[in-house]
Amino acid sequence: MDQLLRRRDVERICAISRATLYRYIKKNVFPRPIRIGSGSVRWRLSDVVKWMEDASDLLSSLKGEIFTFIKKEYIKNDYDYDGYDQGEAT
């Protein structure tokens, strides 16, 4: 059986506020909780872990694209570019 997490545990684990949590749920970016009673909800640990893994994968894939874009903007706008690529000195 999957462990169930309280809202404050989800907020702490994911390092997000209550407002952000519910905003993500409203935008279908975060898993919806399950109701366990009148006014009580819980999140499945497996759903939260999967969301965190997916978010990590997305950020990793975007990292290279973001730095490439920044580098191109520096070159295009004739800024001084010190040879930094993806956060590391060359």
Side-chain angles (χ1 to χ4, degrees), residues 10-21:
V10 172
E11 292 168 6
R12 183 179 46 81
I13 291 168
C14 298
I16 58 177
S17 69
R18 179 190 305 192
T20 299
L21 174 65

Side-chain angles (χ1 to χ4, degrees), residues 66-77:
I66 291 168
F67 282 108
T68 300
F69 172 78
I70 291 169
K71 183 177 177 180
K72 286 179 182 176
E73 287 299 306
Y74 267 83
I75 293 169
K76 182 175 86 177
N77 293 312

Side-chain angles (χ1 to χ4, degrees), residues 22-51:
Y22 283 107
R23 187 176 336 112
Y24 285 176
I25 292 168
K26 185 177 180 179
K27 293 181 178 184
N28 292 318
V29 175
F30 197 84
R32 293 194 175 280
I34 56 172
R35 291 206 176 276
I36 61 167
S38 177
S40 293
V41 295
R42 298 289 187 269
W43 281 261
R44 290 180 187 91
L45 176 60
S46 61
D47 291 343
V48 173
V49 168
K50 181 171 181 354
W51 177 82

